[in-house]
Amino acid sequence: MLIRELLVNVQQVILGTKICFLFPAIPLAILAQYYHFARPWIFALSLLGLAPLAERVSFLTEQIAYFTGPTVGGLLNATCGNATELIIALFALYQRKIHVLKYSLLGSILSNLLLVLGSSLFCGGLANIKKEQTFDRHQNNHNYSSCVGSRAEASDVKIIAFYFPSKVSSICMLIAYAAYLFFQLRTHRQLFESPDEEEEEEDKVSEDEEAVIGFWSSFAWLIGMTITIALLSEYVVGTIEAASDSWGISVSFISLILLPIVGNAAEHAGSIIFALKNKLDISLGVALGSASQISMFVVPLCVIMGWIIGVDMDLDFSLLETGSLAFSIILIAFTLQDGTSHYMKGVVLCLAYCAIAACFFFHKLPINTENNSFGSFTA
């Protein structure tokens, strides 16, 4: 009986994703580290192994949410939704690679705002080309304003460029994020749910909302995968400079483009699937909600953790990073202002992401860059 349950769990957790073919990269990365293979190989295998792990963590939190209820489940999803980015950020902080940390966090925000949302609008527009795709502007304005507001604080701190204001602002941002979760999950849940979705949920609870594995099995798998993510994240952070030198690609491009694409694998896949089903409200909630988590939770948490362990992490981003984020926010504002969507809007967002990626491809950051010279640009 135990063996049968284990086989069912393996089938659902390991083989239940379309990118299960990437799971062999995990033991290969561990063996490559153990036998001291070339560090770029360790980086590449670890990066590939993180993709299915990030997607499966999202799946497991959904399974646990079926047993804990919507409030606790929503909080769990908010906490674990960006687990990969958070773990990579903490390892980069511990190893004092502040440039990798800042680029990876900023890259995750840009990836969600432009790539994830853009590809979702593009695919959804093509799949529903004869239908007018609409979404609730009022519902998604909460996630959008949350993301914009948190970055405004960082921009103000950049002008002062002292560590103490960064710490104070980070504390304020964490308090604001906690208040936002309470607002979203407790007091004003109706603002984030459309009437159609509420009716569908009431009619299809027994059919659609059933866990495929048990609570304790989900919890055990979640712990195991989180530990594995931590191990591979340590490999990624420790070998990123070696991969940069070997491949001839800047550290800024790897940190800001490659790492977030892997970390956002779950959000990316889920957002596109919902867009194909003409459920843009959910797609926008996934993309903008993840960007809000990074802005208001992960970024200030890294500043506070750096304060605790004695690492000078601040909210001071250079001109290119700040300009890229400001451009993305303005573009998203114009894209979502009318409450309708078509594939051309997705094309514009994806092309904007490609343009930003091209800028950072030529953004050369010396490996031994100090914090006060972060973000120097050489072509």
Side-chain angles (χ1 to χ4, degrees), residues 298-312:
V298 180
V299 172
L301 180 64
C302 288
V303 175
I304 301 301
M305 292 299 297
W307 186 10
I308 294 174
I309 65 177
V311 177
D312 292 331

Side-chain angles (χ1 to χ4, degrees), residues 53-54 57-58 61 77-90 222 226 229-230 233 263 267 293-294 298:
L53 289 173
V57 165
S58 178
T61 54
N77 282 323
T79 304
C80 299
N82 290 301
T84 303
E85 293 92 331
L86 177 59
I87 294 174
I88 290 177
L90 292 178
L222 182 61
T226 302
I229 288 175
S233 298
E267 291 93 339
Q293 287 179 24
I294 296 295
V298 180

Side-chain angles (χ1 to χ4, degrees), residues 134-141 191 193-195 280-281 284 339:
T134 61
F135 54 87
D136 186 356
R137 293 174 56 192
H138 178 71
Q139 175 183 349
N140 289 286
N141 277 341
L191 296 179
E193 297 177 353
S194 63
L280 284 186
D281 285 322
L284 267 66

Side-chain angles (χ1 to χ4, degrees), residues 181-246:
L181 287 180
F182 187 77
F183 177 84
Q184 180 185 25
L185 302 175
R186 199 65 169 171
T187 61
H188 289 73
R189 288 179 55 193
Q190 69 278 4
L191 296 179
F192 298 87
E193 297 177 353
S194 63
D196 294 338
E197 292 176 3
E198 293 176 355
E199 293 176 2
E200 291 179 1
E201 288 178 359
E202 293 176 357
D203 295 338
K204 299 182 179 180
V205 169
S206 59
E207 298 179 7
D208 298 334
E209 296 189 357
E210 293 182 358
V212 295
I213 59 176
F215 173 80
W216 291 110
S217 297
S218 301
F219 190 72
W221 279 103
L222 182 61
I223 293 177
M225 289 196 170
T226 302
I227 294 174
T228 308
I229 288 175
L231 180 64
L232 295 186
S233 298
E234 184 179 10
Y235 293 167
V236 165
V237 174
T239 58
I240 188 171
E241 287 92 352
S244 174
D245 292 339
S246 177

Side-chain angles (χ1 to χ4, degrees), residues 275-333:
L276 292 174
K277 297 179 180 179
N278 201 17
K279 296 181 178 180
L280 284 186
D281 285 322
I282 302 179
S283 292
L284 267 66
V286 170
L288 298 181
S290 182
S292 298
Q293 287 179 24
I294 296 295
S295 299
M296 298 186 64
F297 176 66
V298 180
V299 172
L301 180 64
C302 288
V303 175
I304 301 301
M305 292 299 297
W307 186 10
I308 294 174
I309 65 177
V311 177
D312 292 331
M313 167 63 183
D314 56 32
L315 299 177
D316 180 18
F317 289 82
S318 71
L319 180 62
L320 180 59
E321 289 86 57
T322 306
S324 298
L325 183 60
F327 168 73
S328 301
I329 291 173
I330 294 173
L331 187 60
I332 289 293

Side-chain angles (χ1 to χ4, degrees), residues 167-185:
K167 297 169 184 175
V168 174
S169 295
S170 296
I171 294 174
C172 294
M173 291 161 68
L174 288 175
I175 295 174
Y177 181 70
Y180 171 72
L181 287 180
F182 187 77
F183 177 84
Q184 180 185 25
L185 302 175

